[in-house]
Amino acid sequence: MTKVMGAAMRRIQAGNALTAFGIGFTVPFLYVYAAKVRELDPMWATGTFMAFALGALLALPFTGRVIDRRGPVPVVIGAAVVASFGALSLGLSTGVVAILLSALALGAGQAVMQPALATMIVRCSTPSTRTRAFALQFFMQNLGLGIGGLIGGLIVDESRPGSFTLLFGIEAVMFLVLAGVIATVRMPQVPAISNALAKDAAQKGGGWKRLMEHKAMVQFCVLGFVLFFACYGQFESGLAAFGTEAAGISPSTLGFALAANTGAIVLAQFVVLRLVENHRRSRVIALVGLLWTGAWLIAAFSGLGHGSAVMAAAAFVTTYALFGIGEAMLSPTLAPLVADLAPEGSVGQYNSAFALVKQMALALGPLGVPLAAGLPMLYIGVFVLVSLGIAGLALRLGKQLTPVQDNPSLAGSTIVAGSVEQAKASEPVPA
């Protein structure tokens, strides 16, 4: 890594951490703000979250092409300004329409930032440093969210609407800080992406069509959707409903479980990194599927009612902690693999596509709530099967990857030198 790349990476990671810190001030309190402080009907309060998702789904399909054509820096700056406006407007809004429009802008801005920042990390890293760079990004995000949420909890007061305005104001300022930091980043002249597929002149401007013809990427997006739906999509919806309805978990215990998830990520990230960075990515993802299978089975124990309330709470907290360990295993695995699958000049497009898949999974996550509340054991059974399916999909994906894509530590090995047939396996193939 050159000095320019190292300096750029430090600024990117610092801006990313400060932004997560600002987001942490508001994320845990959004529903309380909409329903209790602004006194919206529960349906409209829930609609605030839907507006977040809608903003992301509207913006992301167009983001990748802009990143690849204009570069990620102006995209991050523009998205940060939009998100800052959305956050400040949300803190000042009182009516339904104003709140929903503010949430729409905030959701779009935050969503666009993700693939743009990921593309910056890719361009400022090498195959040997990229895994650790994304692991550090995930670590700093969770640390920032945790600290921001903790401080926000000390400031917030339902009886004082101004305390919520202060929280959203802090978030807005942090977005502007990100824009300022990124504006000072000096990007390398040439993207440091080795093993990328050469750009085919006949496919220039292919965009989404080219991506959909890339069999390995399509399979990876399917796998990503299942991963995000089974994990993040259930955290604050289906799994929370299961805990409160079937396991009798109190809201305070649910908050402790979420803290245990963040704590597991922060404590385990770099320990896990040393264990997974020299192993095949497909097998690491498959192992996460098995780990989450165990997590869902432990959640089932918390809802069976055979033990004490303390045992049920401990089992529920353990479930969230195991999910956190799985997330720590995925953070240095998923994002770098997107970059390694992307053809030359399409990293932004591929990052945006994967971010869109994540947003779709999060938007559909609440569909598990009725099943979790009404038929809790069936809910657990479904997600046990889904987690086992993750392991199967990951192993199947491994067959579509070249040895270096599956295990970047082999990049300098002579056994992959000149492997033309293996390189062809990763070229866009009709799905």
Side-chain angles (χ1 to χ4, degrees):
M1 180 182 291
T2 66
K3 289 184 178 180
V4 172
M5 292 167 63
M9 183 65 76
R10 286 190 291 273
R11 296 187 183 193
I12 295 168
Q13 298 287 21
N16 176 71
L18 290 171
T19 303
F21 175 71
I23 294 172
F25 273 84
T26 62
V27 167
F29 315 111
L30 182 59
Y31 182 83
V32 174
Y33 171 73
K36 303 295 184 181
V37 177
R38 298 309 183 193
E39 299 180 344
L40 299 188
D41 181 271
M43 182 186 70
W44 289 115
T46 304
T48 306
F49 292 94
M50 297 177 65
F52 263 95
L54 180 61
L57 295 176
L58 290 175
L60 283 171
F62 310 99
T63 301
R65 297 291 293 277
V66 178
I67 293 173
D68 290 328
R69 290 181 176 182
R70 304 295 183 185
V73 171
V75 175
V76 173
I77 294 173
V81 171
V82 171
S84 178
F85 171 79
L88 184 60
S89 177
L90 190 57
L92 295 172
S93 299
T94 57
V96 172
V97 174
I99 288 175
L100 293 181
L101 289 176
S102 300
L104 188 77
L106 181 55
Q110 286 186 223
V112 170
M113 273 186 252
Q114 296 175 23
L117 285 170
T119 302
M120 291 185 72
I121 291 174
V122 170
R123 293 188 179 182
C124 294
S125 62
T126 64
S128 61
T129 62
R130 194 165 296 144
T131 297
R132 287 184 170 269
F134 278 105
L136 178 60
Q137 181 200 34
F138 191 67
F139 171 84
M140 296 300 287
Q141 279 180 339
N142 281 276
L143 186 61
L145 286 170
I147 295 175
L150 180 63
I151 298 176
L154 298 176
I155 297 174
V156 72
D157 184 348
E158 284 187 39
S159 64
R160 292 190 300 111
S163 66
F164 286 87
T165 302
L166 175 61
L167 296 186
F168 284 106
I170 293 172
E171 182 182 29
V173 169
M174 289 298 102
F175 285 128
L176 294 180
V177 170
L178 172 67
V181 170
I182 295 302
T184 67
V185 172
R186 180 184 172 192
M187 294 292 289
Q189 292 296 319
V190 180
I193 307 171
S194 65
N195 301 314
L197 299 176
K199 184 185 288 184
D200 187 340
Q203 291 179 313
K204 284 184 179 179
W208 285 98
K209 181 178 184 295
R210 185 181 187 186
L211 188 150
M212 294 303 295
E213 291 176 346
H214 191 168
K215 188 174 182 179
M217 185 60 185
V218 170
Q219 288 192 13
F220 186 46
C221 285
V222 172
L223 172 60
F225 178 87
V226 178
L227 279 166
F228 295 129
F229 181 74
C231 179
Y232 299 103
Q234 302 307 309
F235 270 8
E236 297 178 5
S237 58
L239 190 53
F242 172 84
T244 54
E245 297 294 334
I249 300 300
S250 66
S252 60
T253 301
L254 180 59
F256 189 74
L258 290 168
N261 174 263
T262 301
I265 293 170
V266 171
L267 294 175
Q269 182 63 84
F270 293 104
V271 175
V272 168
L273 177 61
R274 286 194 292 270
L275 297 176
V276 306
E277 62 182 344
N278 293 321
H279 291 79
R280 293 176 61 178
R281 288 165 168 167
S282 58
R283 292 185 178 178
V284 171
I285 299 172
L287 182 58
V288 171
L290 297 179
L291 179 67
W292 286 356
T293 299
W296 284 107
L297 292 174
I298 292 173
F301 173 80
S302 71
L304 290 175
H306 296 322
S308 65
V310 173
M311 291 178 63
F316 196 72
V317 169
T318 300
T319 297
Y320 273 76
L322 289 176
F323 272 111
I325 294 173
E327 292 172 74
M329 295 169 66
L330 292 175
S331 64
T333 305
L334 299 182
L337 182 53
V338 175
D340 290 346
L341 285 170
E344 180 185 347
S346 297
V347 176
Q349 180 76 60
Y350 275 53
N351 277 323
S352 295
F354 202 67
L356 179 61
V357 166
K358 180 177 180 179
Q359 291 297 328
M360 290 173 63
L362 295 180
L364 295 176
L367 293 177
V369 172
L371 188 63
L375 298 168
M377 288 302 114
L378 178 59
Y379 171 77
I380 293 293
V382 167
F383 279 95
V384 166
L385 293 177
V386 168
S387 298
L388 291 173
I390 289 171
L393 288 171
L395 295 176
R396 183 182 178 189
L397 173 66
K399 298 177 182 179
Q400 296 292 327
L401 304 176
T402 66
V404 173
Q405 287 173 338
D406 205 13
N407 187 352
S409 65
L410 298 176
S413 174
T414 57
I415 62 172
V416 296
S419 181
V420 177
E421 293 182 357
Q422 290 170 335
K424 287 181 178 180
S426 68
E427 292 180 356
V429 177

